[in-house]
Amino acid sequence: MITGAVIAAAVQRPLLVIPLAFISHFMLDILPHFGVRHKNDTERNAHPMFKTVLAIDLALVALLLIGLPLVMHQAVNWWIVLVGMLTAWIPDTVWIHHFLHDRKGIERTAPVWLTRFHQKIQWFERPLGIIAEVIWLGAMGLLIRSIVI
């Protein structure tokens, strides 16, 4: 979502922000991510570290959806920032669907081509992936700072 906000500020044209923010999601998923090792999604979902990271992620989503459009509103229309953020986040909504089905014990339907692609490009989810995430967050923070100031 943060990358979607930066794209919105750089482009400021919703018809370009939408595809660029959407594509950026998959580009970032190629990079290493923080994650816990697991045999399957049910085991991962029950892991205390996964639950902690999920709670933090959800809190950050809420905070960023409100905060970034407000912080960046003088550089770019708040709604364009919001569109960029939501568009960049949309590909992950499939995981919410799967997570809820897994929690309820409902069998998943066969994934569509985009979900299969999404799964394959996320090749590295380990605790060490936090390094790439911290570097990315620092870079995005500097870009947002330069946009706002």
Side-chain angles (χ1 to χ4, degrees), residues 80-96:
I80 297 175
V81 174
L82 191 59
V83 164
M85 293 173 70
L86 290 172
T87 304
W89 178 69
I90 281 175
D92 276 346
T93 60
V94 69
W95 308 131
I96 296 169

Side-chain angles (χ1 to χ4, degrees), residues 41-57:
D41 289 344
T42 303
E43 181 184 291
R44 181 208 57 210
N45 294 347
H47 195 283
M49 181 63 77
F50 177 80
K51 290 178 180 180
T52 302
V53 170
L54 181 62
I56 292 168
D57 280 352

